[in-house]
Amino acid sequence: MSRFNEEITKQDKITNENVKKAMLISMKRVGKPVFSAATILSASFAAMMLSGILSLLQIGAWIIIGLTLYTIILLPVFIPAVATLLGENNWWPFNLISKK
């Protein structure tokens, strides 16, 4: 969201089209590092699952499932959709963007 905030403040006027454009640019820049970090973290927990201890198997499996859902559904679909729908009200309690 901070990358999105940087991109939206570069726009002259906050319109629905500018919000979509800023969200697309910010998702392109943030997607690769987040996907890489999730892959590395999943591999670490998958290695922990090899121990054969039931609690470690369960913890590793749930963390891998959670990271997969985060990187496939939540980050690329849900967060941009909500931010686009909310538009300028996305930062409601704090108004982090400057009104132009």
Side-chain angles (χ1 to χ4, degrees), residues 55-100:
S55 61
L56 291 180
L57 286 168
Q58 292 173 347
I59 291 169
W62 281 112
I63 289 178
I64 290 171
I65 290 169
L67 284 170
T68 303
L69 290 175
Y70 177 73
T71 57
I72 293 175
I73 295 172
L74 190 68
L75 189 64
V77 177
F78 184 73
I79 292 174
V82 170
T84 303
L85 286 174
L86 292 176
E88 190 174 344
N89 297 324
N90 195 26
W91 297 276
W92 164 63
F94 304 108
N95 291 333
L96 293 176
I97 58 174
S98 59
K99 294 188 178 188
K100 296 180 179 184

Side-chain angles (χ1 to χ4, degrees), residues 28-60:
K28 283 181 182 177
R29 292 185 179 164
V30 171
K32 290 178 185 176
V34 168
F35 183 73
S36 298
T39 304
I40 292 168
L41 192 58
S42 294
S44 299
F45 279 100
M48 188 174 70
M49 292 172 63
L50 296 175
S51 69
I53 300 172
L54 183 61
S55 61
L56 291 180
L57 286 168
Q58 292 173 347
I59 291 169

